[in-house]
Amino acid sequence: MKKDLLGISDLTRDEIYLILDTTEAMREIGQRPIKKVPTMRGKTVVNLFYEPSTRTRTSFEIAEKRLSADTLNVAVAASSVLKGETLLDTALNIEAMTPDMIVMRHASSGACHLLAQVCKSRIINAGDGMHEHPTQALLDAFTIREHKGRIEGLKVAIVGDLLHSRVLRSNVLLLTKLGADVWLSGPPTMIPVGIERLGVHVSTSVEEAVADADAIMMLRIQQERMQGAFFPSLREYFHVFGMTAARVARAKPDVIIMHPGPMNRGVEIASDVADGPYSVILEQVANGVAVRMAVLYLLAGGRDGD
Ligand code: CP
């Protein structure tokens, strides 16, 4: 493994498969009565989240504790960031306390790359702006492989706010590297210019994108990142792009419905689809712990602790 996990763009196919295979072993630990191994005993991991998070922060913390790391969460809202300290100064001060790893989420694309350049600690990107969210894409791939037995050759439709989504970018990079047939759909105003150069199909027709799909991944409408109106109303958005049972019926009979969360029910996805028989949304969350254990383990050197 490299020093840091900054994005899927840095990973080879073999490295992705190594993480997915290691995740299988880590998941078994989570099924034991005592869900703890000494692998990261004596290692310190700092979770530095500048943006809200439920799933990623919690699952990193659970993963760190299951591997016996000493883990601490920096509450940015209660830190000297509010007194004007820069990201770089905050990072260098945390670094001075010699943690082994820093898991960071930040609103600016590339913030983790900056940290990786100045810190000896290993940096894990937990989502940087509209750039990448590598562990989300890894847990998505693990979930797809668990259900379908493979990624190569599958049709995966990704629907929603394509423009503001770091989840989209990491998933496109990962799924195309592993040979999936990736279809994107969303409003024309939310399709990133030149995205098809990444080897994906793009359609403004959800019906076309989901036809015979093996997996449908819905993306959240990220109103907090929008400046201006990208579509007339949330009601109209749901009418044209929302995932309804009728649209799901166009996919393969064994399609899986995915969403990275948090969900806007009734905006990008109907509640009966989110909670329905094809949904694997909570399985994605469960798999997130094992994927993050695998990433921590491999970055720590892939050896059990003394
Ligand atoms: N999927 C995801 O990143 O969720 P959180 O924002 O809750 O971490």
Side-chain angles (χ1 to χ4, degrees):
M1 289 291 286
K2 299 172 173 75
K3 172 182 163 278
D4 312 292
L5 176 61
L6 302 179
I8 299 296
S9 60
D10 301 328
L11 296 179
T12 63
R13 273 172 67 101
D14 285 351
E15 285 169 328
I16 293 168
Y17 279 122
L18 174 65
I19 296 170
L20 298 184
D21 293 343
T22 307
T23 300
E24 301 276 2
M26 295 298 162
R27 196 167 54 159
E28 186 273 324
I29 295 168
Q31 290 159 353
R32 295 179 191 171
I34 297 174
K35 305 175 179 61
K36 209 171 178 80
V37 291
T39 304
M40 288 185 71
R41 198 166 51 191
K43 303 276 186 200
T44 306
V45 185
V46 175
N47 300 314
L48 182 59
F49 277 64
Y50 282 83
E51 273 193 337
S53 169
T54 299
R55 283 145 288 268
T56 312
R57 200 196 60 71
T58 310
S59 67
F60 262 113
E61 191 175 348
I62 292 173
E64 291 152 12
K65 288 185 190 318
R66 285 193 180 162
L67 294 174
S68 301
D70 295 316
T71 176
L72 73 122
N73 300 306
V74 176
V76 170
S79 74
S80 291
V81 169
L82 293 196
K83 299 175 194 164
E85 189 169 64
T86 64
L87 167 64
L88 203 54
D89 281 333
T90 301
L92 290 174
N93 279 271
I94 291 173
E95 172 88 345
M97 295 179 246
T98 62
D100 296 283
M101 294 188 200
I102 300 174
V103 178
M104 188 173 82
R105 170 170 289 190
H106 199 279
S108 298
S109 303
C112 296
H113 293 71
L114 178 68
L115 239 63
Q117 282 170 17
V118 298
C119 292
K120 288 199 189 73
S121 316
R122 294 175 183 275
I123 307 298
I124 301 179
N125 183 356
D128 64 325
M130 297 189 285
H131 180 223
E132 278 229 41
H133 191 350
T135 55
Q136 179 68 47
L138 288 162
L139 74 88
D140 291 339
F142 183 83
T143 306
I144 294 172
R145 193 173 77 158
E146 191 180 23
H147 278 269
K148 306 293 175 190
R150 67 194 161 95
I151 305 279
E152 193 165 3
L154 295 181
K155 178 175 180 181
V156 181
I158 307 180
V159 180
D161 180 351
L162 309 172
L163 188 62
H164 300 103
S165 178
R166 54 197 176 207
V167 174
L168 167 80
R169 195 176 159 75
S170 288
N171 262 299
V172 164
L173 291 169
L174 190 154
L175 291 168
T176 54
K177 266 182 199 189
L178 299 196
D181 182 25
V182 181
W183 283 72
L184 309 183
S185 185
T189 50
M190 295 182 132
I191 297 175
V193 175
I195 189 82
E196 59 282 351
R197 285 202 294 268
L198 295 178
V200 295
H201 306 274
V202 181
S203 174
T204 51
S205 161
V206 181
E207 284 74 16
E208 184 186 22
V210 304
D212 293 321
D214 297 280
I216 299 174
M217 194 180 290
M218 300 307 298
L219 298 176
R220 180 171 71 88
I221 291 295
Q222 302 198 25
Q223 296 195 65
E224 76 278 14
R225 294 192 207 278
M226 290 184 195
Q227 288 162 348
F230 286 80
F231 45 83
S233 69
L234 292 178
R235 192 156 167 250
E236 183 164 330
Y237 181 87
F238 179 70
H239 182 65
V240 181
F241 293 101
M243 196 48 56
T244 58
R247 290 191 171 121
V248 172
R250 292 174 172 268
K252 291 234 172 81
D254 61 347
V255 68
I256 56 172
I257 305 294
M258 310 176 75
H259 195 306
M263 278 188 285
N264 294 308
R265 288 172 181 264
V267 178
E268 68 261 1
I269 188 165
S271 267
D272 62 341
V273 173
D275 303 328
Y278 305 108
S279 173
V280 297
I281 293 170
L282 291 178
E283 283 177 46
Q284 289 173 263
V285 179
N287 291 336
V289 175
V291 160
R292 285 161 183 136
M293 286 172 76
V295 166
L296 291 160
Y297 168 78
L298 290 167
L299 282 181
R303 290 183 300 274
D304 289 338
D306 299 329

